[in-house]
Amino acid sequence: MTTSIAGGSSNLHYRLSFCKAKGCRQSSRISSLTFNGCLRNDISWSDGLSKLLQFQRHKFSRSTIIKTWKPLGTRKVSVSSCLRDSTAKYFDFAVIGSGVAGLRYALEVAKYGTVAVITKAEPHESNTNYAQGGVSAVLSPSDSVESHMQDTMVAGAYLCDEETVRVVCTEGPDRIRELIAMGAMFDHGEDGNLHLAREGGHSHHRIVHAADMTGREIERALLEAVVNDPNISVFEHHFAIDLLTSQDGPDMICHGVDTLNTETQQVVRFISKVTLLASGGAGHIYPSTTNPQVATGDGMAMAHRAQAVISNMEFVQFHPTALADEGLPIKPTIARENAFLITEAVRGDGGILYNLDWERFMPLYDERAELAPRDVVARSIDDQLKKRCERYVLLDISHKPREKILSHFPNIAAECLQYGLDITRQPIPVVPAAHYMCGGVRAGLQGETNVQGLYVAGEVACTGLHGANRLASNSLLEALVFARRAVQPSIDHMKSSSLDLSASNWWARPVVPHSLGSHVMENVLRKTREVRKELQSIMWKYVGIVRSTTRLETAEVEINELEAQWEKCLFEKGWEQTMVGLEACEMRNLFCCAKLVVSSALARHESRGLHYTIDFPRVEESKRLPTVIFPSLVNNTWSSRQLHKQAIF
């Protein structure tokens, strides 16, 4: 169905289709958006969000409306009573996630109120900690903001929001300087200046790094500052279950989050004036990913269930070079929980890709060869593997001086050496692995969402920066910039609100299934682990680097059937809708994210960036628009609905 409505002096043309995946049948997917026939992006990302939500308000029944974002100063919540409850905690700000986005934001808002940093495992266990390459920023006199913008837009297949790109590239250098002032130690050259590396897709040397462990160094500096801040409380091993929301007419409002303390098996409710979602990505919807075990799409799924708008989920970035264990001289005795990343910087430093016959192949696919953007390199490797029936390719940096290799890539060298591979003398076996979600919760220029009081930053967000493919080392940059940009509106919202200490009673409590007994729980866990592997297999087989409509439709059917079987098994064993457990709730979130990816991929009838389909192999200018999944009230699976009923004022 194609509909046009007037919006000021512009005409808005929307192509709407409906999600077939079970649990999101009424989600509308927008894959076409033009203004006066002009196919370039003439409005800002945040303005586009407002326009889209206005359209939804006109188009759907009032029960499904999400109203345009209103000024934050319009809401006051009165304190009605003092509730003493050890399982309910009250903070001005709740931060879900302890990566660079969450910690940087927490340090700023802590100057104005109390902050809870809620983290699923240890505070350092985040995608940030595994980021090897670095942070991109214009810090060289020979570089420019315009050049960084152009590189970002080209890598993103021109689906990036230009205003967002300009903001990030302009503000990035100051965010780097702030990290240095906080004690982050980056590599310097012999001249005493920052050593700037170059990676695929970049036209200049602009990657600030700490050897090949940049994320770890940034995380160290931020955690040290957080630990020393008296206004910040860190809650380790607290798994976020669902956001706490209420509906006031057409407005959805976030009041905090329910969590499960996975060490005590106690449900802990956090009531807050402002919530920042910085929970990372969803790499574990695939069997091989560079993401840590915690990356199960919890934030994206929670936000979707809380009626937040989701965008561009079809753009899953597969890093072209993860370590292929089967090509190592000594095979690991225990399977890895996550693939070991071989940073983009290896190719940026001169690494060359070969097939197993030592034939260099990248120049056959792209004139930029090994320095092409990640989507191009990953598809090229995938093509080589399929044509030659091989399991991995070779990345060789051994022609470079030994000292340079060891100084730039000490972590990679050490990891490979323990399996008998000396990267200064031998090529590295590599294979693509799921790495980064370019889509997520749709955010405006200040990290705001369509849910009042809920902000997003980092990989969980879709800000418009990455478009159809993320440029190398732009992710940490985006997290830093949007974490800071979300601060002022969050403070304004916090100051205009008061905590209602009775709010903890507004929603029914999730239940830990102690009553089921150990034998039943063992069966539930065993089944859940089997289903998780099956889901990952379906996603890799049908929703991988190269796609087709038939494969995507097959994935849709098989995922729905698998989810139905899993839920039937759980509920037949006595599991109830309000019960929670770490692995079961992770499975619930993985199903939700997998369906969002498949639905979005089916909506895009072109090949752009990370989404390549053999049925629509070309880029279509008329389709250079974001994919949007609106909220839905048809929630007929456990993964698609909140455990509690929304409070209604």
Side-chain angles (χ1 to χ4, degrees):
M1 176 178 68
T2 302
T3 307
S4 299
I5 62 170
S9 61
S10 300
N11 291 323
L12 297 174
H13 301 284
Y14 295 86
R15 178 176 297 125
L16 297 181
S17 57
F18 294 91
C19 173
K20 297 178 182 177
K22 188 176 180 182
C24 56
R25 288 187 183 278
Q26 300 303 312
S27 296
S28 57
R29 299 178 300 196
I30 294 187
S31 56
S32 182
L33 174 61
T34 60
F35 294 83
N36 281 338
C38 180
L39 295 174
R40 66 186 186 85
N41 196 352
D42 284 337
I43 61 169
S44 71
W45 185 259
S46 53
D47 188 37
L49 174 60
S50 175
K51 293 281 197 303
L52 293 173
L53 297 180
Q54 287 175 18
F55 173 71
Q56 187 191 26
R57 190 165 67 253
H58 286 293
K59 194 67 188 159
F60 297 107
S61 66
R62 189 166 181 82
S63 63
T64 64
I65 289 170
I66 301 295
K67 197 173 182 180
T68 309
W69 185 263
K70 297 195 300 186
L72 293 174
T74 61
R75 174 163 300 283
K76 284 278 187 180
V77 182
S78 62
V79 177
S80 62
S81 65
C82 181
L83 180 67
R84 298 186 180 276
D85 183 352
S86 63
T87 62
K89 302 184 182 297
Y90 299 81
F91 287 87
D92 293 315
F93 305 93
V95 179
I96 304 171
S98 59
V100 59
L103 297 182
R104 190 67 193 89
Y105 173 89
L107 287 167
E108 290 301 316
V109 295
K111 300 171 185 176
Y112 301 90
T114 57
V115 184
V117 173
I118 301 161
T119 183
K120 187 173 176 179
E122 304 291 334
H124 65 268
E125 189 66 4
S126 66
N127 277 357
T128 296
N129 200 49
Y130 289 81
Q132 294 180 356
V135 190
S136 60
V138 177
L139 295 166
S140 168
S142 63
D143 198 1
S144 68
V145 168
E146 288 71 23
S147 177
H148 192 182
M149 287 182 61
Q150 180 65 16
D151 291 346
T152 299
M153 299 284 283
V154 169
Y158 296 97
L159 195 67
C160 313
D161 177 72
E162 188 171 349
E163 186 177 4
T164 302
V165 174
R166 183 173 296 281
V167 162
V168 173
C169 294
T170 301
E171 297 181 7
D174 285 342
R175 303 291 82 84
I176 299 294
R177 295 183 187 104
E178 288 172 354
L179 285 179
I180 294 171
M182 293 172 60
M185 294 181 287
F186 300 114
D187 289 357
H188 288 70
E190 293 179 359
D191 59 1
N193 295 320
L194 285 169
H195 181 271
L196 302 176
R198 184 183 176 191
E199 296 181 350
H202 288 274
S203 58
H204 290 74
H205 288 76
R206 63 167 69 101
I207 313 302
V208 180
H209 62 99
D212 59 350
M213 296 171 282
T214 308
R216 191 179 304 177
E217 172 57 21
I218 294 173
E219 187 82 1
R220 180 205 61 78
L222 292 174
L223 275 174
E224 191 172 292
V226 163
V227 167
N228 291 323
D229 193 311
N231 260 6
I232 301 176
S233 301
V234 178
F235 295 87
E236 301 178 1
H237 303 286
H238 279 63
F239 170 74
I241 301 166
D242 261 324
L243 296 171
L244 298 169
T245 56
S246 67
Q247 191 157 2
D248 184 8
D251 298 326
M252 193 65 66
I253 304 139
C254 181
H255 304 276
V257 63
D258 269 340
T259 71
L260 174 67
N261 183 326
T262 55
E263 292 195 322
T264 66
Q265 294 302 303
Q266 182 182 51
V267 172
V268 181
R269 177 162 285 175
F270 289 84
I271 304 296
S272 60
K273 300 175 185 176
V274 178
T275 301
L276 177 81
L277 197 54
S279 52
H284 281 276
I285 60 175
Y286 290 95
S288 179
T289 176
T290 61
N291 294 180
Q293 283 291 95
V294 295
T296 52
D298 308 323
M300 296 169 184
M302 284 192 299
H304 180 59
R305 291 192 291 265
Q307 306 288 292
V309 175
I310 306 294
S311 190
N312 286 356
M313 288 293 283
E314 69 268 39
F315 300 117
V316 181
Q317 187 173 79
F318 291 85
H319 198 288
T321 55
L323 186 62
D325 287 344
E326 60 190 306
L328 292 169
I330 302 172
K331 307 296 186 291
T333 55
I334 302 175
R336 298 179 191 269
E337 291 183 343
N338 52 287
F340 184 82
L341 177 67
I342 305 299
T343 174
E344 192 94 10
V346 173
R347 285 182 285 119
D349 255 17
I352 298 174
L353 286 163
Y354 298 96
N355 59 35
L356 297 190
D357 284 335
W358 279 95
E359 297 168 337
R360 186 182 184 189
F361 58 84
M362 276 310 303
L364 302 175
Y365 295 94
D366 194 284
E367 62 183 9
R368 293 164 291 185
E370 282 78 12
L371 291 179
R374 289 177 179 176
D375 60 323
V376 175
V377 180
R379 276 197 302 276
S380 302
I381 294 174
D382 183 70
D383 187 57
Q384 283 285 304
L385 297 180
K386 288 174 179 173
K387 283 181 177 177
R388 298 172 57 84
C389 296
E390 294 173 349
R391 305 296 295 274
Y392 56 89
V393 297
L394 303 173
L395 176 60
D396 187 37
I397 191 71
S398 65
H399 53 281
K400 293 294 182 178
R402 175 182 175 84
E403 296 74 20
K404 181 178 180 181
I405 295 172
L406 295 179
S407 64
H408 285 188
F409 311 112
N411 189 41
I412 294 173
E415 179 70 19
C416 290
L417 194 59
Q418 68 174 313
Y419 298 107
L421 184 74
D422 181 354
I423 69 170
T424 67
R425 301 175 59 189
Q426 300 164 279
I428 307 167
V430 294
V431 68
H435 183 57
Y436 189 88
M437 304 293 293
C438 290
V441 184
R442 193 171 170 98
L445 281 172
Q446 293 180 307
E448 74 274 22
T449 71
N450 61 296
V451 178
Q452 293 195 28
L454 178 66
Y455 296 81
V456 290
E459 190 174 350
V460 71
C462 184
T463 65
L465 173 68
H466 305 309
N469 176 46
R470 176 174 69 87
L471 179 64
S473 291
N474 265 4
S475 55
L476 292 178
L477 178 70
E478 179 197 38
L480 288 167
V481 169
F482 274 87
R484 289 287 278 112
R485 290 185 71 83
V487 168
Q488 191 56 53
S490 296
I491 294 167
D492 294 342
H493 188 82
M494 183 274 293
K495 288 182 176 179
S496 68
S497 304
S498 300
L499 286 176
D500 188 332
L501 299 183
S502 69
S504 182
N505 296 324
W506 292 355
W507 306 269
R509 294 266 180 169
V511 178
V512 178
H514 297 302
S515 60
L516 296 184
S518 59
H519 179 67
V520 171
M521 283 306 300
E522 286 173 6
N523 289 334
V524 166
L525 287 175
R526 184 175 61 254
K527 180 63 175 178
T528 299
R529 289 165 187 165
E530 291 172 358
V531 167
R532 179 167 172 156
K533 289 181 179 178
E534 288 183 53
L535 175 66
Q536 292 170 334
S537 178
I538 292 169
M539 290 298 290
W540 178 245
K541 185 175 181 180
Y542 300 118
V543 201
I545 296 171
V546 176
R547 302 165 178 173
S548 73
T549 301
T550 300
R551 289 187 197 134
L552 291 172
E553 289 175 344
T554 300
E556 189 173 58
V557 170
E558 291 193 8
I559 290 171
N560 288 339
E561 290 176 350
L562 182 64
E563 182 179 28
Q565 292 168 10
W566 177 65
E567 289 190 5
K568 183 173 182 287
C569 175
L570 259 62
F571 296 132
E572 284 180 349
K573 294 182 185 301
W575 194 273
E576 297 177 4
Q577 297 281 351
T578 56
M579 286 183 172
V580 292
L582 174 61
E583 293 189 55
C585 286
E586 281 186 334
M587 190 69 249
R588 173 176 177 242
N589 295 335
L590 289 167
F591 269 123
C592 183
C593 289
K595 291 188 293 186
L596 290 172
V597 171
V598 173
S599 299
S600 299
L602 280 168
R604 185 165 293 279
H605 294 170
E606 65 163 350
S607 288
R608 185 181 294 275
L610 297 164
H611 174 69
Y612 183 84
T613 170
I614 60 175
D615 295 306
F616 305 98
R618 289 181 294 277
V619 171
E620 298 288 344
E621 182 62 18
S622 63
K623 302 183 188 303
R624 183 162 64 87
L625 299 156
T627 304
V628 176
I629 298 182
F630 282 123
S632 167
L633 293 186
V634 180
N635 303 323
N636 53 3
T637 66
W638 194 45
S639 72
S640 61
R641 57 177 171 262
Q642 293 176 312
L643 296 185
H644 56 77
K645 291 184 178 179
Q646 295 166 4
I648 300 176
F649 293 140

